[in-house]
Amino acid sequence: MRPELYLLIMCILCFATVIISWSVNRSRAREELSNAIKQDITSEQMQAAEERVTAFFRENNLRPGVPILQIGQVLKIHPSEFGEPVSGQAHLSEPDESGTMFVTFRKGLTPQERQFAFAHECGHVLNKDAAPIDRPTGRHKDPAEQAADYVAAALLMPLDDVYNYLSENRYKDISSRQRVKLIRRLCQRYGVSNVIAVRRIREVYMLKEAG
């Protein structure tokens, strides 16, 4: 075989391998994102959680969207760099003598992950789950963890605020590329990850359209 032809065949094979690998990885990434944003609780459970969050804000004279650390202060929950070893993303301690609890984080979490983990522990307290509690990593969480995840998102991304923002920016009418940009802005606005933002958009529309 002529060297030029051999080189051409090898280049074609390498290019084909790259394309196939890219396609497989892209398909896998889409599947992982789809699983990550899948709704874990029913619309009735979502509505009940929203009512708990609304009642909490009203009873404590707080406006929706206040910093999560301010919510933690009301609930007597504080972030801490010291505490029991963390097996998941975060650990919520038992109340001390004054009723104060501390959240210890796994090392290496991003600021977005720390914020959501802290909000998740606040969600456990609002849901009246008993401490101590570890926030696990990965999927297939038990119902209490799924419910706390939902409340965390509701605290960080208030229902009406998110819905109004999406409506003002015509989320349902814009192109896919424009939606991606809008989701990025949502992530910056609320300090959450892409997965949390996309899942919250689904939740917001489910509740608003059901009402």
Side-chain angles (χ1 to χ4, degrees), residues 98-114:
S98 67
T100 301
M101 292 168 280
F102 296 92
V103 178
T104 309
F105 303 95
R106 189 187 72 204
K107 291 183 179 179
L109 295 184
T110 66
Q112 290 176 337
E113 289 171 332
R114 283 174 65 98

PDB file of all heavy atoms in Angstrom, residues 98-114:
ATOM      1  N   SER A  98     -28.027  25.374  73.483  1.00  0.00           N
ATOM      2  CA  SER A  98     -28.813  26.562  73.127  1.00  0.00           C
ATOM      3  C   SER A  98     -29.750  26.296  71.950  1.00  0.00           C
ATOM      4  O   SER A  98     -30.477  27.190  71.518  1.00  0.00           O
ATOM      5  CB  SER A  98     -27.867  27.719  72.771  1.00  0.00           C
ATOM      6  OG  SER A  98     -27.160  27.425  71.572  1.00  0.00           O
ATOM      7  N   GLY A  99     -29.718  25.065  71.416  1.00  0.00           N
ATOM      8  CA  GLY A  99     -30.569  24.736  70.275  1.00  0.00           C
ATOM      9  C   GLY A  99     -29.916  25.022  68.933  1.00  0.00           C
ATOM     10  O   GLY A  99     -30.549  24.854  67.882  1.00  0.00           O
ATOM     11  N   THR A 100     -28.639  25.436  68.958  1.00  0.00           N
ATOM     12  CA  THR A 100     -27.928  25.777  67.726  1.00  0.00           C
ATOM     13  C   THR A 100     -27.350  24.520  67.069  1.00  0.00           C
ATOM     14  O   THR A 100     -26.824  23.635  67.752  1.00  0.00           O
ATOM     15  CB  THR A 100     -26.794  26.766  68.011  1.00  0.00           C
ATOM     16  OG1 THR A 100     -27.345  27.951  68.595  1.00  0.00           O
ATOM     17  CG2 THR A 100     -26.056  27.141  66.727  1.00  0.00           C
ATOM     18  N   MET A 101     -27.460  24.462  65.746  1.00  0.00           N
ATOM     19  CA  MET A 101     -26.894  23.348  64.970  1.00  0.00           C
ATOM     20  C   MET A 101     -25.834  23.880  64.017  1.00  0.00           C
ATOM     21  O   MET A 101     -25.881  25.045  63.626  1.00  0.00           O
ATOM     22  CB  MET A 101     -28.005  22.648  64.175  1.00  0.00           C
ATOM     23  CG  MET A 101     -29.012  21.906  65.050  1.00  0.00           C
ATOM     24  SD  MET A 101     -30.494  21.399  64.133  1.00  0.00           S
ATOM     25  CE  MET A 101     -31.402  22.958  64.127  1.00  0.00           C
ATOM     26  N   PHE A 102     -24.910  23.017  63.658  1.00  0.00           N
ATOM     27  CA  PHE A 102     -23.809  23.419  62.773  1.00  0.00           C
ATOM     28  C   PHE A 102     -23.729  22.491  61.566  1.00  0.00           C
ATOM     29  O   PHE A 102     -23.913  21.279  61.685  1.00  0.00           O
ATOM     30  CB  PHE A 102     -22.482  23.401  63.538  1.00  0.00           C
ATOM     31  CG  PHE A 102     -22.426  24.407  64.655  1.00  0.00           C
ATOM     32  CD1 PHE A 102     -22.809  24.055  65.942  1.00  0.00           C
ATOM     33  CD2 PHE A 102     -22.021  25.717  64.409  1.00  0.00           C
ATOM     34  CE1 PHE A 102     -22.784  24.982  66.970  1.00  0.00           C
ATOM     35  CE2 PHE A 102     -21.989  26.648  65.434  1.00  0.00           C
ATOM     36  CZ  PHE A 102     -22.373  26.284  66.716  1.00  0.00           C
ATOM     37  N   VAL A 103     -23.452  23.102  60.417  1.00  0.00           N
ATOM     38  CA  VAL A 103     -23.287  22.345  59.179  1.00  0.00           C
ATOM     39  C   VAL A 103     -21.802  22.270  58.854  1.00  0.00           C
ATOM     40  O   VAL A 103     -21.140  23.299  58.704  1.00  0.00           O
ATOM     41  CB  VAL A 103     -24.041  23.000  58.001  1.00  0.00           C
ATOM     42  CG1 VAL A 103     -23.800  22.196  56.714  1.00  0.00           C
ATOM     43  CG2 VAL A 103     -25.528  23.088  58.291  1.00  0.00           C
ATOM     44  N   THR A 104     -21.287  21.061  58.759  1.00  0.00           N
ATOM     45  CA  THR A 104     -19.900  20.831  58.357  1.00  0.00           C
ATOM     46  C   THR A 104     -19.905  20.330  56.924  1.00  0.00           C
ATOM     47  O   THR A 104     -20.711  19.464  56.568  1.00  0.00           O
ATOM     48  CB  THR A 104     -19.237  19.776  59.263  1.00  0.00           C
ATOM     49  OG1 THR A 104     -19.445  20.127  60.628  1.00  0.00           O
ATOM     50  CG2 THR A 104     -17.738  19.699  58.986  1.00  0.00           C
ATOM     51  N   PHE A 105     -19.003  20.859  56.102  1.00  0.00           N
ATOM     52  CA  PHE A 105     -18.985  20.532  54.679  1.00  0.00           C
ATOM     53  C   PHE A 105     -17.808  19.629  54.325  1.00  0.00           C
ATOM     54  O   PHE A 105     -16.755  19.707  54.945  1.00  0.00           O
ATOM     55  CB  PHE A 105     -18.883  21.812  53.836  1.00  0.00           C
ATOM     56  CG  PHE A 105     -19.977  22.801  54.100  1.00  0.00           C
ATOM     57  CD1 PHE A 105     -19.792  23.840  54.992  1.00  0.00           C
ATOM     58  CD2 PHE A 105     -21.200  22.681  53.459  1.00  0.00           C
ATOM     59  CE1 PHE A 105     -20.794  24.760  55.238  1.00  0.00           C
ATOM     60  CE2 PHE A 105     -22.215  23.592  53.692  1.00  0.00           C
ATOM     61  CZ  PHE A 105     -22.017  24.629  54.589  1.00  0.00           C
ATOM     62  N   ARG A 106     -18.019  18.809  53.315  1.00  0.00           N
ATOM     63  CA  ARG A 106     -16.917  18.027  52.770  1.00  0.00           C
ATOM     64  C   ARG A 106     -15.937  18.975  52.083  1.00  0.00           C
ATOM     65  O   ARG A 106     -16.354  19.946  51.443  1.00  0.00           O
ATOM     66  CB  ARG A 106     -17.454  17.016  51.747  1.00  0.00           C
ATOM     67  CG  ARG A 106     -16.414  16.003  51.264  1.00  0.00           C
ATOM     68  CD  ARG A 106     -16.973  15.165  50.133  1.00  0.00           C
ATOM     69  NE  ARG A 106     -17.086  15.959  48.910  1.00  0.00           N
ATOM     70  CZ  ARG A 106     -17.918  15.686  47.921  1.00  0.00           C
ATOM     71  NH1 ARG A 106     -18.761  14.681  48.000  1.00  0.00           N
ATOM     72  NH2 ARG A 106     -17.950  16.448  46.837  1.00  0.00           N
ATOM     73  N   LYS A 107     -14.689  18.712  52.209  1.00  0.00           N
ATOM     74  CA  LYS A 107     -13.679  19.558  51.570  1.00  0.00           C
ATOM     75  C   LYS A 107     -13.794  19.456  50.059  1.00  0.00           C
ATOM     76  O   LYS A 107     -14.112  18.402  49.512  1.00  0.00           O
ATOM     77  CB  LYS A 107     -12.282  19.137  52.022  1.00  0.00           C
ATOM     78  CG  LYS A 107     -11.996  19.437  53.493  1.00  0.00           C
ATOM     79  CD  LYS A 107     -10.574  19.061  53.854  1.00  0.00           C
ATOM     80  CE  LYS A 107     -10.274  19.392  55.319  1.00  0.00           C
ATOM     81  NZ  LYS A 107      -8.885  19.015  55.695  1.00  0.00           N
ATOM     82  N   GLY A 108     -13.510  20.571  49.396  1.00  0.00           N
ATOM     83  CA  GLY A 108     -13.486  20.571  47.937  1.00  0.00           C
ATOM     84  C   GLY A 108     -14.782  20.964  47.266  1.00  0.00           C
ATOM     85  O   GLY A 108     -14.846  21.015  46.039  1.00  0.00           O
ATOM     86  N   LEU A 109     -15.824  21.262  48.042  1.00  0.00           N
ATOM     87  CA  LEU A 109     -17.086  21.681  47.425  1.00  0.00           C
ATOM     88  C   LEU A 109     -16.930  23.070  46.819  1.00  0.00           C
ATOM     89  O   LEU A 109     -16.233  23.922  47.360  1.00  0.00           O
ATOM     90  CB  LEU A 109     -18.212  21.712  48.454  1.00  0.00           C
ATOM     91  CG  LEU A 109     -18.648  20.396  49.091  1.00  0.00           C
ATOM     92  CD1 LEU A 109     -19.851  20.631  50.006  1.00  0.00           C
ATOM     93  CD2 LEU A 109     -18.995  19.350  48.042  1.00  0.00           C
ATOM     94  N   THR A 110     -17.605  23.319  45.711  1.00  0.00           N
ATOM     95  CA  THR A 110     -17.616  24.648  45.112  1.00  0.00           C
ATOM     96  C   THR A 110     -18.516  25.561  45.949  1.00  0.00           C
ATOM     97  O   THR A 110     -19.330  25.064  46.748  1.00  0.00           O
ATOM     98  CB  THR A 110     -18.154  24.592  43.677  1.00  0.00           C
ATOM     99  OG1 THR A 110     -19.548  24.211  43.721  1.00  0.00           O
ATOM    100  CG2 THR A 110     -17.380  23.597  42.831  1.00  0.00           C
ATOM    101  N   PRO A 111     -18.401  26.885  45.789  1.00  0.00           N
ATOM    102  CA  PRO A 111     -19.307  27.788  46.507  1.00  0.00           C
ATOM    103  C   PRO A 111     -20.779  27.470  46.249  1.00  0.00           C
ATOM    104  O   PRO A 111     -21.606  27.540  47.168  1.00  0.00           O
ATOM    105  CB  PRO A 111     -18.926  29.172  45.957  1.00  0.00           C
ATOM    106  CG  PRO A 111     -17.488  29.027  45.579  1.00  0.00           C
ATOM    107  CD  PRO A 111     -17.364  27.628  45.040  1.00  0.00           C
ATOM    108  N   GLN A 112     -21.120  27.104  45.005  1.00  0.00           N
ATOM    109  CA  GLN A 112     -22.501  26.741  44.687  1.00  0.00           C
ATOM    110  C   GLN A 112     -22.921  25.492  45.445  1.00  0.00           C
ATOM    111  O   GLN A 112     -24.032  25.424  45.992  1.00  0.00           O
ATOM    112  CB  GLN A 112     -22.650  26.494  43.185  1.00  0.00           C
ATOM    113  CG  GLN A 112     -22.531  27.737  42.328  1.00  0.00           C
ATOM    114  CD  GLN A 112     -22.597  27.398  40.843  1.00  0.00           C
ATOM    115  OE1 GLN A 112     -22.307  26.273  40.424  1.00  0.00           O
ATOM    116  NE2 GLN A 112     -22.981  28.367  40.036  1.00  0.00           N
ATOM    117  N   GLU A 113     -22.040  24.499  45.501  1.00  0.00           N
ATOM    118  CA  GLU A 113     -22.356  23.256  46.203  1.00  0.00           C
ATOM    119  C   GLU A 113     -22.501  23.495  47.700  1.00  0.00           C
ATOM    120  O   GLU A 113     -23.394  22.921  48.341  1.00  0.00           O
ATOM    121  CB  GLU A 113     -21.272  22.213  45.931  1.00  0.00           C
ATOM    122  CG  GLU A 113     -21.287  21.670  44.513  1.00  0.00           C
ATOM    123  CD  GLU A 113     -20.089  20.796  44.198  1.00  0.00           C
ATOM    124  OE1 GLU A 113     -19.014  21.004  44.821  1.00  0.00           O
ATOM    125  OE2 GLU A 113     -20.203  19.924  43.322  1.00  0.00           O
ATOM    126  N   ARG A 114     -21.640  24.319  48.262  1.00  0.00           N
ATOM    127  CA  ARG A 114     -21.743  24.632  49.699  1.00  0.00           C
ATOM    128  C   ARG A 114     -23.054  25.351  50.004  1.00  0.00           C
ATOM    129  O   ARG A 114     -23.715  25.041  51.002  1.00  0.00           O
ATOM    130  CB  ARG A 114     -20.553  25.505  50.131  1.00  0.00           C
ATOM    131  CG  ARG A 114     -19.256  24.753  50.302  1.00  0.00           C
ATOM    132  CD  ARG A 114     -18.113  25.712  50.594  1.00  0.00           C
ATOM    133  NE  ARG A 114     -18.298  26.396  51.868  1.00  0.00           N
ATOM    134  CZ  ARG A 114     -17.730  26.029  53.014  1.00  0.00           C
ATOM    135  NH1 ARG A 114     -16.935  24.972  53.057  1.00  0.00           N
ATOM    136  NH2 ARG A 114     -17.924  26.710  54.123  1.00  0.00           N
TER     137      ARG A 114
END
